[in-house]
């Protein structure tokens, strides 16, 4: 449903600023949270995974808030969505590096030289995995947007002309679940696959109708999503980790806020805007 609000042209209009903001914001937050985690006594791997998790913003939650505030169609919301997509790509690359580090780990000791490319096989694997991950992400997103936009909108428009809204809903769901499944197989977030399905729907002339017939299902799945998140919580463990959690949350929030604010202030001065 969110994707139907963002045709390809709209995404292209904010692609540059999204990259400019997302890269330093994600990497800067990751490094800061990593060092804070190390200071709190977490292991190397725990610190890395915590830093990666805290450097990425939840796409589902963020978009839901933007919808409730009724600003989902604003240009700023489009930029936020672009930043979230870039963050997902960075996450996939970072996970490839962490997975490579795990290969060089024996017992409880970690070959840090392998992580930073200190020669041998350990220094080669991360680069190869990053390249493969980026190629997969690029091929998946590019292929869907370039090839899919040529055929899917036409098919949807033909179905919409029959006024069979049940069939239209089934086709849209099939497209959303299909691309989500493909994204999952490639190691990407299912959110990316579903969003790209919505973008293809947005390219059709029947996008407004498609949005109306899918909104009820959107609300159902949103409720299930938050229920599933709550079901994963082990309340008995909260007292043990509440202090480190608060510190890391505040660190992540402050890092993102300061980095993004600094970037946008500098860019506005360069562009001569307020």
């Amino acid at each position: 449903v969110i994707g139907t609000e963002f045709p390809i042209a709209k995404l292209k209009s904010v692609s540059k600023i999204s990259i400019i903001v997302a890269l330093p914001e994600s990497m800067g937050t990751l490094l800061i949270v990593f060092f804070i985690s190390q200071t709190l006594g977490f292991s190397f791997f725990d610190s890395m995974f915590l830093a990666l998790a805290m450097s990425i913003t939840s796409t589902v939650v963020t978009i839901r808030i933007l919808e409730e505030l009724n600003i989902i169609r604003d240009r700023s919301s489009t930029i936020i969505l672009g930043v979230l997509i870039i963050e997902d790509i960075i996450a996939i690359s970072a996970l490839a590096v962490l997975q490579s580090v795990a290969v060089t780990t024996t017992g409880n000791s970690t070959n840090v030289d392998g992580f930073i490319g200190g020669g041998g096989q350990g220094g080669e694997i991360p680069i190869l995995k990053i390249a493969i991950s980026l190629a997969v992400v690029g091929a998946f997103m590019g292929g869907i947007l370039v090839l899919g936009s040529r055929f899917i909108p036409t098919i949807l428009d033909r179905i919409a002309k029959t006024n069979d809204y049940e069939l239209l809903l089934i086709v849209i769901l099939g497209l959303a679940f299909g691309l989500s499944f493909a994204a999952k197989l490639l190691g990407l977030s299912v959110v990316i696959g579903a969003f790209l399905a919505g973008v293809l729907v947005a390219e059709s002339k029947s996008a407004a109708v498609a949005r109306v017939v899918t909104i009820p299902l959107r609300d159902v799945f949103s409720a299930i999503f938050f229920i599933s998140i709550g079901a994963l919580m082990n309340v008995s463990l909260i007292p043990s980790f509440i202090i480190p959690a608060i510190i890391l949350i505040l660190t992540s929030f402050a890092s993102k806020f300061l980095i993004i604010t600094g970037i946008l202030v500098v860019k506005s001065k360069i562009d001569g805007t307020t």
Side-chain angles (χ1 to χ4, degrees), residues 10-103:
K10 191 173 183 180
L11 289 176
K12 285 183 178 180
S13 67
V14 298
S15 59
K16 182 178 179 180
I17 182 62
S18 296
I19 294 175
I20 293 175
V21 171
L23 287 177
E25 174 262 322
S26 295
M27 299 308 298
T29 303
L30 189 149
L31 291 174
I32 293 172
V33 174
F34 172 78
F35 287 115
I36 295 296
S37 299
Q38 290 276 276
T39 303
L40 292 173
F42 290 99
S43 67
F44 176 83
F45 276 111
D46 285 345
S47 298
M48 286 299 297
F49 280 109
L50 282 170
L52 181 59
M54 300 299 288
S55 66
I56 301 171
T57 307
S58 172
T59 305
V60 176
V61 175
T62 301
I63 290 177
R64 186 64 174 165
I65 293 174
L66 293 175
E67 277 190 309
E68 292 179 354
L69 294 175
N70 198 28
I71 58 173
I72 189 65
R73 296 186 181 184
D74 292 358
R75 176 176 170 79
S76 59
S77 297
T78 307
I79 296 175
I80 290 173
L81 187 61
V83 170
L84 295 178
I85 293 174
I86 300 299
E87 283 185 348
D88 279 335
I89 295 175
I90 294 174
I92 297 303
S93 303
L95 283 174
V97 175
L98 290 179
Q99 189 177 22
S100 301
V101 176
V103 174

Side-chain angles (χ1 to χ4, degrees), residues 164-224:
D164 189 342
Y165 297 132
E166 292 181 357
L167 178 59
L168 179 62
L169 177 60
I170 291 173
V171 172
I172 293 174
L173 286 177
L175 179 64
F177 283 121
L179 292 183
S180 296
F181 181 70
K184 183 69 173 179
L185 289 179
L186 295 175
L188 303 174
S189 169
V190 294
V191 174
I192 292 181
F195 173 75
L196 291 176
V199 172
L200 295 181
V201 173
E203 293 295 305
S204 68
K205 298 177 181 178
S206 54
V209 176
R211 195 177 303 117
V212 171
V213 299
T214 52
I215 281 179
L217 285 177
R218 185 276 314 270
D219 293 337
V220 171
F221 283 118
S222 295
I224 293 175

